[in-house]
Amino acid sequence: MALVTNRLSDTLTQKARSKLGIRFGRFTVAAIAAFATTEIVLTICAGVLELTATWASIIAWFSGALVSYVLSRWAWKRKGRPSLLKETLPFWVVSAMVVVILLLATKFAYHSASWMHLNKAERVLYVDAVYGVANVGTFLLRFLFFHYVLFAASVVQDPPGAAEEALASTDPGPEPFARATEAGDPEDDEDLRR
């Protein structure tokens, strides 16, 4: 069992240290920051300001999308001025699709909260929860789009053989004595020639 656990943990560690794993981790940080921003703004809009579902959702989404845009550039190590057609516009198109999902989720939460006759605090928490589930649901789809479409050009491929070198540097290989006999000793070769 320990061998299986060690191999599983080694595999997971290797995946987490890969470029995809690092980008996924950085995007997760960006998504958590955007999610927190969105939830805080939604709570203020729905609870304190008592805005309608549409306005609360749109304002919360926009504030989270701004944070997501800045941190997504950081996640894919994008520097300099962004390209309007290759980066900025596609990001906001995807964000517009996300806002539709979040808006529908918020409207559903508002209506179902009234059907359940929730008081003000319960209603706000319920709306936040439904909005949060919808937001988490779009997380993986956004990551896949950003990684494989939007920022695909910034993902630099390793040169051929780099993966094998990295694996060889971490793999101890056969036992040291086996390596010595496999490599062959030059003195043994001379003895064989005589």
Side-chain angles (χ1 to χ4, degrees):
M1 184 66 180
L3 181 61
V4 172
T5 305
N6 287 343
R7 286 189 179 184
L8 180 62
S9 68
D10 289 346
T11 302
L12 292 175
T13 302
Q14 223 173 17
K15 296 284 185 193
R17 289 183 179 168
S18 71
K19 285 190 178 198
L20 180 64
I22 291 169
R23 290 202 196 298
F24 186 78
R26 291 171 71 110
F27 183 71
T28 301
V29 170
I32 289 170
F35 179 73
T37 302
T38 301
E39 286 292 324
I40 291 168
V41 172
L42 181 67
T43 301
I44 292 169
C45 290
V48 177
L49 301 177
E50 296 182 3
L51 297 178
T52 64
T54 302
W55 283 109
S57 182
I58 288 173
I59 293 170
W61 159 80
F62 186 74
S63 61
L66 285 175
V67 171
S68 178
Y69 180 72
V70 171
L71 293 180
S72 291
R73 285 182 52 81
W74 163 78
W76 274 271
K77 297 182 179 179
R78 302 291 292 193
K79 295 180 180 170
R81 189 174 186 186
S83 169
L84 179 66
L85 294 176
K86 292 181 181 179
E87 185 178 323
T88 306
L89 190 61
F91 177 89
W92 288 103
V93 167
V94 169
S95 293
M97 289 184 229
V98 168
V99 77
V100 169
I101 294 168
L102 298 178
L103 181 61
L104 292 172
T106 306
K107 283 187 177 275
F108 169 77
Y110 265 64
H111 290 297
S112 59
S114 66
W115 299 331
M116 293 186 284
H117 305 291
L118 299 177
N119 67 32
K120 185 175 179 177
E122 291 171 336
R123 181 180 66 85
V124 170
L125 291 174
Y126 178 72
V127 169
D128 282 347
V130 171
Y131 186 88
V133 168
N135 210 336
V136 169
T138 64
F139 167 76
L140 186 59
L141 295 174
R142 286 182 285 152
F143 174 77
L144 292 173
F145 177 78
F146 291 164
H147 186 71
Y148 292 108
V149 178
L150 185 59
F151 297 120
S154 70
V155 177
V156 179
Q157 298 295 326
D158 287 331
E164 290 78 14
E165 280 183 36
L167 183 59
S169 67
T170 59
D171 183 18
E175 293 296 321
F177 299 111
R179 269 189 260 148
T181 59
E182 287 175 7
D185 189 7
E187 292 176 7
D188 290 339
D189 291 343
E190 287 180 23
D191 289 339
L192 291 174
R193 287 184 211 152
R194 290 184 195 164

Short mmCIF file of all heavy atoms in Angstrom, two decimals, residues 35-79:
data_model
loop_
_atom_site.label_atom_id
_atom_site.label_comp_id
_atom_site.label_asym_id
_atom_site.label_seq_id
_atom_site.Cartn_x
_atom_site.Cartn_y
_atom_site.Cartn_z
N PHE A 35 -13.26 35.39 -7.37
CA PHE A 35 -14.44 34.86 -6.70
C PHE A 35 -14.72 35.61 -5.40
O PHE A 35 -15.86 35.99 -5.12
CB PHE A 35 -14.24 33.37 -6.43
CG PHE A 35 -15.39 32.72 -5.71
CD1 PHE A 35 -16.58 32.48 -6.37
CD2 PHE A 35 -15.28 32.35 -4.38
CE1 PHE A 35 -17.65 31.88 -5.72
CE2 PHE A 35 -16.33 31.75 -3.72
CZ PHE A 35 -17.52 31.51 -4.39
N ALA A 36 -13.68 35.84 -4.62
CA ALA A 36 -13.85 36.58 -3.36
C ALA A 36 -14.34 37.99 -3.62
O ALA A 36 -15.25 38.48 -2.94
CB ALA A 36 -12.53 36.60 -2.58
N THR A 37 -13.77 38.65 -4.62
CA THR A 37 -14.20 40.00 -4.98
C THR A 37 -15.67 40.00 -5.38
O THR A 37 -16.46 40.83 -4.94
CB THR A 37 -13.34 40.54 -6.14
OG1 THR A 37 -11.98 40.53 -5.73
CG2 THR A 37 -13.76 41.94 -6.53
N THR A 38 -16.04 39.04 -6.24
CA THR A 38 -17.41 38.94 -6.71
C THR A 38 -18.39 38.70 -5.57
O THR A 38 -19.44 39.34 -5.50
CB THR A 38 -17.52 37.80 -7.75
OG1 THR A 38 -16.64 38.10 -8.82
CG2 THR A 38 -18.91 37.67 -8.30
N GLU A 39 -18.04 37.78 -4.69
CA GLU A 39 -18.94 37.46 -3.57
C GLU A 39 -19.11 38.64 -2.62
O GLU A 39 -20.22 38.90 -2.14
CB GLU A 39 -18.43 36.23 -2.81
CG GLU A 39 -18.65 34.92 -3.53
CD GLU A 39 -20.12 34.53 -3.65
OE1 GLU A 39 -20.91 34.79 -2.74
OE2 GLU A 39 -20.47 33.94 -4.68
N ILE A 40 -18.04 39.35 -2.34
CA ILE A 40 -18.13 40.53 -1.46
C ILE A 40 -19.01 41.60 -2.09
O ILE A 40 -19.90 42.15 -1.44
CB ILE A 40 -16.72 41.07 -1.14
CG1 ILE A 40 -15.98 40.07 -0.24
CG2 ILE A 40 -16.80 42.44 -0.48
CD1 ILE A 40 -14.50 40.35 -0.09
N VAL A 41 -18.77 41.87 -3.37
CA VAL A 41 -19.57 42.89 -4.06
C VAL A 41 -21.03 42.45 -4.16
O VAL A 41 -21.94 43.26 -3.97
CB VAL A 41 -18.96 43.21 -5.44
CG1 VAL A 41 -19.88 44.11 -6.25
CG2 VAL A 41 -17.59 43.86 -5.27
N LEU A 42 -21.27 41.16 -4.44
CA LEU A 42 -22.65 40.66 -4.53
C LEU A 42 -23.36 40.79 -3.18
O LEU A 42 -24.52 41.18 -3.13
CB LEU A 42 -22.67 39.20 -4.99
CG LEU A 42 -24.06 38.59 -5.14
CD1 LEU A 42 -24.82 39.26 -6.28
CD2 LEU A 42 -23.97 37.09 -5.36
N THR A 43 -22.66 40.46 -2.11
CA THR A 43 -23.25 40.58 -0.77
C THR A 43 -23.63 42.03 -0.48
O THR A 43 -24.71 42.30 0.05
CB THR A 43 -22.27 40.06 0.30
OG1 THR A 43 -21.96 38.70 0.01
CG2 THR A 43 -22.86 40.16 1.69
N ILE A 44 -22.77 42.96 -0.84
CA ILE A 44 -23.06 44.38 -0.63
C ILE A 44 -24.24 44.82 -1.50
O ILE A 44 -25.17 45.49 -1.03
CB ILE A 44 -21.81 45.24 -0.92
CG1 ILE A 44 -20.74 44.96 0.14
CG2 ILE A 44 -22.16 46.72 -0.97
CD1 ILE A 44 -19.38 45.53 -0.18
N CYS A 45 -24.22 44.41 -2.77
CA CYS A 45 -25.29 44.82 -3.70
C CYS A 45 -26.64 44.20 -3.33
O CYS A 45 -27.67 44.88 -3.36
CB CYS A 45 -24.93 44.46 -5.13
SG CYS A 45 -23.58 45.43 -5.81
N ALA A 46 -26.65 42.92 -2.98
CA ALA A 46 -27.91 42.24 -2.68
C ALA A 46 -28.40 42.54 -1.27
O ALA A 46 -29.61 42.64 -1.04
CB ALA A 46 -27.75 40.73 -2.86
N GLY A 47 -27.47 42.69 -0.33
CA GLY A 47 -27.86 42.89 1.06
C GLY A 47 -27.98 44.34 1.46
O GLY A 47 -29.06 44.84 1.78
N VAL A 48 -26.87 45.05 1.42
CA VAL A 48 -26.84 46.44 1.90
C VAL A 48 -27.59 47.37 0.96
O VAL A 48 -28.43 48.16 1.39
CB VAL A 48 -25.38 46.91 2.09
CG1 VAL A 48 -25.32 48.36 2.52
CG2 VAL A 48 -24.64 46.03 3.08
N LEU A 49 -27.27 47.29 -0.33
CA LEU A 49 -27.88 48.21 -1.31
C LEU A 49 -29.25 47.75 -1.80
O LEU A 49 -29.98 48.53 -2.40
CB LEU A 49 -26.94 48.40 -2.50
CG LEU A 49 -25.55 48.97 -2.17
CD1 LEU A 49 -24.69 49.04 -3.42
CD2 LEU A 49 -25.65 50.34 -1.52
N GLU A 50 -29.59 46.48 -1.59
CA GLU A 50 -30.85 45.88 -2.00
C GLU A 50 -31.16 46.12 -3.47
O GLU A 50 -32.28 46.49 -3.85
CB GLU A 50 -32.00 46.39 -1.11
CG GLU A 50 -31.85 45.99 0.34
CD GLU A 50 -33.01 46.44 1.22
OE1 GLU A 50 -33.97 47.05 0.70
OE2 GLU A 50 -32.93 46.18 2.43
N LEU A 51 -30.17 45.89 -4.30
CA LEU A 51 -30.35 46.04 -5.75
C LEU A 51 -31.11 44.84 -6.30
O LEU A 51 -31.20 43.78 -5.67
CB LEU A 51 -28.98 46.15 -6.44
CG LEU A 51 -28.13 47.36 -6.07
CD1 LEU A 51 -26.79 47.29 -6.79
CD2 LEU A 51 -28.84 48.66 -6.41
N THR A 52 -31.63 44.98 -7.51
CA THR A 52 -32.31 43.87 -8.17
C THR A 52 -31.29 42.80 -8.54
O THR A 52 -30.08 43.05 -8.54
CB THR A 52 -33.02 44.35 -9.46
OG1 THR A 52 -32.02 44.81 -10.38
CG2 THR A 52 -34.03 45.44 -9.17
N ALA A 53 -31.79 41.64 -8.88
CA ALA A 53 -30.90 40.53 -9.24
C ALA A 53 -30.01 40.89 -10.42
O ALA A 53 -28.82 40.56 -10.44
CB ALA A 53 -31.72 39.29 -9.57
N THR A 54 -30.56 41.56 -11.41
CA THR A 54 -29.80 41.91 -12.60
C THR A 54 -28.64 42.83 -12.26
O THR A 54 -27.49 42.56 -12.62
CB THR A 54 -30.72 42.59 -13.65
OG1 THR A 54 -31.78 41.69 -13.96
CG2 THR A 54 -29.95 42.94 -14.90
N TRP A 55 -28.93 43.93 -11.58
CA TRP A 55 -27.87 44.88 -11.25
C TRP A 55 -26.86 44.32 -10.28
O TRP A 55 -25.65 44.53 -10.43
CB TRP A 55 -28.45 46.20 -10.73
CG TRP A 55 -29.00 47.02 -11.85
CD1 TRP A 55 -30.31 47.28 -12.12
CD2 TRP A 55 -28.25 47.64 -12.89
NE1 TRP A 55 -30.43 48.03 -13.27
CE2 TRP A 55 -29.16 48.27 -13.76
CE3 TRP A 55 -26.90 47.73 -13.20
CZ2 TRP A 55 -28.77 48.98 -14.89
CZ3 TRP A 55 -26.50 48.43 -14.33
CH2 TRP A 55 -27.44 49.04 -15.15
N ALA A 56 -27.32 43.59 -9.29
CA ALA A 56 -26.39 42.99 -8.32
C ALA A 56 -25.45 42.03 -9.02
O ALA A 56 -24.23 42.03 -8.77
CB ALA A 56 -27.17 42.29 -7.21
N SER A 57 -25.98 41.21 -9.91
CA SER A 57 -25.18 40.23 -10.62
C SER A 57 -24.19 40.89 -11.57
O SER A 57 -23.02 40.50 -11.63
CB SER A 57 -26.10 39.28 -11.40
OG SER A 57 -25.35 38.31 -12.05
N ILE A 58 -24.64 41.88 -12.31
CA ILE A 58 -23.76 42.54 -13.28
C ILE A 58 -22.63 43.29 -12.58
O ILE A 58 -21.46 43.20 -12.99
CB ILE A 58 -24.58 43.49 -14.19
CG1 ILE A 58 -25.42 42.65 -15.15
CG2 ILE A 58 -23.66 44.43 -14.97
CD1 ILE A 58 -26.39 43.44 -15.99
N ILE A 59 -22.94 44.02 -11.53
CA ILE A 59 -21.89 44.77 -10.82
C ILE A 59 -20.90 43.80 -10.17
O ILE A 59 -19.68 44.01 -10.23
CB ILE A 59 -22.52 45.72 -9.78
CG1 ILE A 59 -23.30 46.82 -10.50
CG2 ILE A 59 -21.47 46.31 -8.86
CD1 ILE A 59 -24.17 47.68 -9.58
N ALA A 60 -21.39 42.73 -9.57
CA ALA A 60 -20.51 41.74 -8.94
C ALA A 60 -19.64 41.05 -9.99
O ALA A 60 -18.44 40.87 -9.80
CB ALA A 60 -21.33 40.71 -8.18
N TRP A 61 -20.25 40.67 -11.11
CA TRP A 61 -19.50 40.02 -12.17
C TRP A 61 -18.40 40.94 -12.70
O TRP A 61 -17.26 40.52 -12.87
CB TRP A 61 -20.43 39.63 -13.32
CG TRP A 61 -19.68 39.44 -14.61
CD1 TRP A 61 -18.97 38.34 -14.99
CD2 TRP A 61 -19.54 40.39 -15.67
NE1 TRP A 61 -18.41 38.55 -16.22
CE2 TRP A 61 -18.74 39.81 -16.66
CE3 TRP A 61 -20.02 41.68 -15.88
CZ2 TRP A 61 -18.41 40.46 -17.83
CZ3 TRP A 61 -19.70 42.33 -17.04
CH2 TRP A 61 -18.90 41.72 -18.01
N PHE A 62 -18.73 42.19 -12.98
CA PHE A 62 -17.75 43.11 -13.56
C PHE A 62 -16.56 43.32 -12.63
O PHE A 62 -15.42 43.34 -13.09
CB PHE A 62 -18.41 44.46 -13.92
CG PHE A 62 -17.49 45.38 -14.66
CD1 PHE A 62 -17.17 45.13 -15.98
CD2 PHE A 62 -16.92 46.48 -14.03
CE1 PHE A 62 -16.30 45.97 -16.67
CE2 PHE A 62 -16.07 47.32 -14.70
CZ PHE A 62 -15.75 47.07 -16.03
N SER A 63 -16.83 43.48 -11.35
CA SER A 63 -15.72 43.67 -10.41
C SER A 63 -14.82 42.43 -10.36
O SER A 63 -13.60 42.54 -10.35
CB SER A 63 -16.24 44.02 -9.02
OG SER A 63 -17.04 42.98 -8.52
N GLY A 64 -15.42 41.25 -10.37
CA GLY A 64 -14.63 40.02 -10.39
C GLY A 64 -13.90 39.82 -11.71
O GLY A 64 -12.78 39.31 -11.74
N ALA A 65 -14.53 40.22 -12.82
CA ALA A 65 -13.90 40.07 -14.14
C ALA A 65 -12.66 40.95 -14.26
O ALA A 65 -11.67 40.55 -14.89
CB ALA A 65 -14.90 40.40 -15.24
N LEU A 66 -12.70 42.14 -13.69
CA LEU A 66 -11.51 43.01 -13.72
C LEU A 66 -10.34 42.36 -12.98
O LEU A 66 -9.22 42.33 -13.47
CB LEU A 66 -11.83 44.38 -13.10
CG LEU A 66 -12.67 45.33 -13.94
CD1 LEU A 66 -13.00 46.58 -13.15
CD2 LEU A 66 -11.93 45.69 -15.22
N VAL A 67 -10.63 41.83 -11.80
CA VAL A 67 -9.60 41.14 -11.03
C VAL A 67 -9.11 39.92 -11.80
O VAL A 67 -7.90 39.67 -11.91
CB VAL A 67 -10.14 40.73 -9.63
CG1 VAL A 67 -9.15 39.84 -8.90
CG2 VAL A 67 -10.45 41.97 -8.81
N SER A 68 -10.02 39.17 -12.39
CA SER A 68 -9.67 37.98 -13.15
C SER A 68 -8.79 38.33 -14.36
O SER A 68 -7.83 37.61 -14.66
CB SER A 68 -10.93 37.27 -13.63
OG SER A 68 -10.61 36.14 -14.40
N TYR A 69 -9.10 39.41 -15.04
CA TYR A 69 -8.32 39.80 -16.22
C TYR A 69 -6.87 40.09 -15.84
O TYR A 69 -5.93 39.58 -16.46
CB TYR A 69 -8.95 41.02 -16.90
CG TYR A 69 -8.18 41.46 -18.12
CD1 TYR A 69 -8.21 40.71 -19.28
CD2 TYR A 69 -7.39 42.61 -18.10
CE1 TYR A 69 -7.50 41.09 -20.40
CE2 TYR A 69 -6.67 43.00 -19.20
CZ TYR A 69 -6.72 42.24 -20.36
OH TYR A 69 -6.00 42.62 -21.45
N VAL A 70 -6.70 40.90 -14.82
CA VAL A 70 -5.35 41.26 -14.40
C VAL A 70 -4.57 40.03 -13.92
O VAL A 70 -3.43 39.81 -14.33
CB VAL A 70 -5.40 42.35 -13.29
CG1 VAL A 70 -4.03 42.58 -12.70
CG2 VAL A 70 -5.97 43.64 -13.85
N LEU A 71 -5.20 39.22 -13.09
CA LEU A 71 -4.51 38.06 -12.54
C LEU A 71 -4.36 36.92 -13.56
O LEU A 71 -3.42 36.12 -13.44
CB LEU A 71 -5.20 37.58 -11.27
CG LEU A 71 -5.11 38.56 -10.10
CD1 LEU A 71 -5.83 38.00 -8.88
CD2 LEU A 71 -3.68 38.90 -9.76
N SER A 72 -5.23 36.84 -14.55
CA SER A 72 -5.06 35.82 -15.60
C SER A 72 -3.83 36.14 -16.45
O SER A 72 -3.11 35.23 -16.87
CB SER A 72 -6.30 35.74 -16.49
OG SER A 72 -7.38 35.20 -15.77
N ARG A 73 -3.59 37.41 -16.69
CA ARG A 73 -2.36 37.79 -17.39
C ARG A 73 -1.14 37.38 -16.57
O ARG A 73 -0.16 36.89 -17.11
CB ARG A 73 -2.33 39.29 -17.67
CG ARG A 73 -3.26 39.70 -18.80
CD ARG A 73 -3.18 41.18 -19.10
NE ARG A 73 -1.84 41.69 -19.31
CZ ARG A 73 -1.15 41.60 -20.46
NH1 ARG A 73 -1.70 41.02 -21.50
NH2 ARG A 73 0.06 42.10 -20.56
N TRP A 74 -1.23 37.56 -15.26
CA TRP A 74 -0.14 37.13 -14.38
C TRP A 74 0.02 35.61 -14.42
O TRP A 74 1.14 35.10 -14.46
CB TRP A 74 -0.41 37.62 -12.95
CG TRP A 74 0.40 36.93 -11.91
CD1 TRP A 74 1.71 37.17 -11.61
CD2 TRP A 74 -0.02 35.88 -11.04
NE1 TRP A 74 2.12 36.34 -10.60
CE2 TRP A 74 1.08 35.53 -10.24
CE3 TRP A 74 -1.23 35.21 -10.86
CZ2 TRP A 74 0.99 34.53 -9.27
CZ3 TRP A 74 -1.30 34.22 -9.90
CH2 TRP A 74 -0.19 33.90 -9.12
N ALA A 75 -1.09 34.88 -14.42
CA ALA A 75 -1.05 33.42 -14.40
C ALA A 75 -0.34 32.85 -15.62
O ALA A 75 0.37 31.85 -15.54
CB ALA A 75 -2.47 32.84 -14.30
N TRP A 76 -0.49 33.49 -16.77
CA TRP A 76 0.16 33.02 -17.99
C TRP A 76 1.39 33.84 -18.32
O TRP A 76 1.90 33.79 -19.43
CB TRP A 76 -0.83 33.02 -19.15
CG TRP A 76 -1.59 31.75 -19.19
CD1 TRP A 76 -1.24 30.62 -19.85
CD2 TRP A 76 -2.81 31.44 -18.52
NE1 TRP A 76 -2.17 29.63 -19.64
CE2 TRP A 76 -3.15 30.10 -18.83
CE3 TRP A 76 -3.67 32.15 -17.69
CZ2 TRP A 76 -4.27 29.48 -18.34
CZ3 TRP A 76 -4.79 31.54 -17.20
CH2 TRP A 76 -5.09 30.23 -17.52
N LYS A 77 1.88 34.61 -17.35
CA LYS A 77 3.11 35.40 -17.48
C LYS A 77 3.08 36.32 -18.69
O LYS A 77 4.06 36.43 -19.42
CB LYS A 77 4.32 34.48 -17.51
CG LYS A 77 4.51 33.69 -16.24
CD LYS A 77 5.74 32.84 -16.32
CE LYS A 77 5.91 32.07 -15.03
NZ LYS A 77 7.07 31.21 -15.04
N ARG A 78 1.96 36.94 -18.92
CA ARG A 78 1.83 37.89 -20.02
C ARG A 78 2.31 39.24 -19.53
O ARG A 78 1.89 39.71 -18.49
CB ARG A 78 0.37 37.99 -20.48
CG ARG A 78 -0.23 36.69 -20.94
CD ARG A 78 0.35 36.21 -22.21
NE ARG A 78 -0.05 37.12 -23.26
CZ ARG A 78 0.08 36.90 -24.54
NH1 ARG A 78 0.62 35.79 -24.93
NH2 ARG A 78 -0.32 37.76 -25.42
N LYS A 79 3.20 39.85 -20.28
CA LYS A 79 3.74 41.15 -19.90
C LYS A 79 3.58 42.12 -21.06
O LYS A 79 3.38 41.72 -22.19
CB LYS A 79 5.21 41.02 -19.52
CG LYS A 79 5.40 40.17 -18.29
CD LYS A 79 6.84 40.04 -17.92
CE LYS A 79 6.90 39.16 -16.68
NZ LYS A 79 8.21 38.76 -16.33
#
